[in-house]
Amino acid sequence: MECKEVQRLQGADLDEELDAPNAARLAAHRSDCADCSREYAQLAALRKQVRESGTRFGAPAGLAQRVRETLAASLPIAAPVQSPARTSALSPRAHWPWAWINFGAAATAMAALIVTLGLLLAQPGASSGLDDELVASHYRALQVDHLTDVASSDQHTVKPWFTGKLDFSPPAYDFAAKGYTLVGGRLDYVGGRSVAALAYQRHRHVINVFIWPQAGSAGAGEGARSEHGFHLLGWTDEGLAFRAVSDAAPRDLAELRDLIVEESHRRL
């Protein structure tokens, strides 16, 4: 098997969705391919981390009862009309009550149920699309070892590299003396637009800081949260939106944010 095909099927193999012959082919390929084996191990580790640390939302109390009541109210029961003159001449079965289902009402009830479940799942606390994109981009950069397009801790190398590639100038500072080493920068695409991504090394953790223009002094997504086992911290400063993503401790993300904001204001 080619690596490209194996990489496409790794997730299905991890979820035990492949038949035995294909699962065996992937296992054989990984035994001879260090890159695919490493990718599989990373996927397995992420899956384990999500299961152990990911946020889960249970169904609200009483949901099952409300669903039953909704269905009962939407499925009218009717008995057939019988002629009194004829029922005495019929077999005893003619006197048995029997029900029929209004299938149009059933379809309506099912649609209502789907909408209800959709609204419940969309309540605050569910993962936002942007957060999912940021976490996926962070993990993808680690998985394929593509943290940077320009690898340097020199801000005078990293910052000019973005010129002409973006419609804004992202700040790029190195804080190695404070324990946050600038590794470099790259272009990325999240939220429907091109953004700057700066990679920092904090001990054994990588912190990706995504930057894009944002009008106003505040915006959705600010503050700290966790998604799929990763920590996110968002803030807005001088017309730019920042989102830091990492498995580093939240306090480390907050400290890096403070360093970036302080340095940006110092240079104004």
Side-chain angles (χ1 to χ4, degrees):
M1 299 182 74
E2 298 292 334
C3 288
K4 189 173 183 179
E5 182 183 5
V6 170
Q7 291 166 2
R8 181 175 61 85
L9 296 174
Q10 295 269 52
D13 188 23
L14 188 63
D15 292 334
E16 299 181 354
E17 296 174 351
L18 298 181
D19 56 26
N22 279 316
R25 292 172 63 203
L26 261 69
H29 176 90
R30 285 194 297 267
S31 66
D32 295 327
C33 179
D35 290 339
C36 290
S37 179
R38 180 170 56 252
E39 179 195 51
Y40 184 81
Q42 291 171 338
L43 285 172
L46 177 62
R47 183 170 183 257
K48 182 175 183 293
Q49 189 173 24
V50 169
R51 284 186 169 182
E52 294 178 350
S53 306
T55 304
R56 292 178 173 84
F57 301 93
L63 174 61
Q65 180 61 30
R66 294 202 299 273
V67 170
R68 284 194 291 268
E69 292 173 354
T70 300
L71 289 174
S74 303
L75 300 177
I77 304 300
V81 177
Q82 299 179 0
S83 170
R86 291 180 55 85
T87 54
S88 59
L90 296 175
S91 68
R93 291 187 180 182
H95 298 279
W96 291 4
W98 63 280
W100 57 274
I101 297 177
N102 184 324
F103 288 99
T108 301
M110 184 58 68
L113 175 60
I114 292 172
V115 171
T116 300
L117 292 175
L119 290 174
L120 287 170
L121 293 175
Q123 292 300 312
S127 300
S128 74
L130 180 59
D131 287 347
D132 286 341
E133 284 190 57
L134 292 169
V135 169
S137 180
H138 172 79
Y139 180 71
R140 186 168 54 247
L142 297 175
Q143 182 184 37
V144 300
D145 196 22
H146 183 203
L147 283 176
T148 63
D149 292 323
V150 52
S152 176
S153 61
D154 183 2
Q155 64 188 46
H156 300 296
T157 298
V158 177
K159 185 178 176 67
W161 181 87
F162 287 104
T163 303
K165 300 178 178 67
L166 294 170
D167 56 357
F168 66 99
S169 180
Y173 310 123
D174 179 48
F175 304 107
K178 301 292 182 63
Y180 298 88
T181 302
L182 178 64
V183 178
R186 70 179 186 280
L187 288 176
D188 214 317
Y189 190 87
V190 295
R193 65 156 296 138
S194 295
V195 304
L198 300 178
Y200 286 88
Q201 188 76 38
R202 172 62 169 171
H203 302 313
R204 299 179 62 183
H205 303 279
V206 171
I207 303 175
N208 271 300
V209 179
F210 299 89
I211 311 170
W212 63 91
Q214 179 167 297
S217 58
E222 294 195 4
R225 68 193 60 79
S226 295
E227 294 289 344
H228 309 301
F230 292 93
H231 302 298
L232 297 91
L233 180 65
W235 72 95
T236 304
D237 186 56
E238 300 297 331
L240 295 176
F242 296 77
R243 300 293 185 273
V245 184
S246 180
D247 60 351
R251 64 177 178 275
D252 291 336
L253 300 186
E255 185 175 13
L256 178 58
R257 173 201 59 195
D258 294 343
L259 288 170
I260 293 174
V261 171
E262 181 182 353
E263 185 64 19
S264 296
H265 290 185
R266 189 182 71 81
R267 294 176 181 242
L268 288 179

